[in-house]
């Protein structure tokens, strides 16, 4: 295969990888909406009926805002307080994507 005949394959691969990056970012938002928003709220402020009844903290609260990515991943995997563990319900990649999405809510 010559140099020029490989170019379309390389371009296709780059497009596929870049397209997936957007899909990963979107998947964090989708997973958050389906698994987290009922308690934490669409905006992360935890002002939902379920969030209020369980005293769910806002993601903008000082303790939540200063939590490291690793701490947030572990809390999501293992649960915290009344929050259930998601280690058997979500993949590591999904949990990491959700944590990345939560960071956008903290801004």
């Amino acid at each position: 295969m010559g140099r020029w005949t490989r170019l379309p394959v390389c371009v296709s691969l780059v497009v596929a990888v870049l397209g997936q990056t957007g899909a990963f970012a979107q998947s964090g938002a989708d997973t958050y909406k389906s698994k987290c928003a009922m308690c934490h709220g669409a905006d992360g402020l935890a002002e939902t009926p379920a969030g209020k009844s369980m005293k769910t903290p806002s993601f903008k609260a000082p303790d939540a805002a200063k939590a490291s990515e690793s701490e947030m991943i572990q809390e999501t995997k293992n649960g915290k307080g009344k929050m259930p563990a998601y280690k058997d319900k979500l993949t590591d990649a999904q949990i990491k994507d959700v944590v990345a999405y939560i960071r956008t809510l903290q801004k």
Side-chain angles (χ1 to χ4, degrees), residues 23-38 76 86 89-91 93-99 101:
F24 292 143
Q26 184 61 38
S27 72
D30 291 342
T31 302
Y32 179 87
K33 289 173 189 168
S34 68
K35 302 287 186 191
C36 312
M38 65 199 88
T76 305
Y86 283 93
K89 299 173 183 153
L90 298 173
T91 66
Q94 287 174 310
I95 291 172
K96 190 169 184 171
D97 289 346
V98 166
V99 168
Y101 179 73

Side-chain angles (χ1 to χ4, degrees), residues 51-87:
K52 288 178 183 179
S53 73
M54 291 189 283
K55 297 181 177 30
T56 304
S58 165
F59 285 128
K60 291 192 177 194
D63 286 346
K66 71 179 181 182
S68 70
E69 178 181 356
S70 176
E71 290 169 325
M72 293 175 74
I73 288 171
Q74 289 308 309
E75 289 175 2
T76 305
K77 282 184 176 185
N78 301 318
K80 182 176 181 182
K82 294 183 180 181
M83 185 179 103
Y86 283 93
K87 64 184 170 193

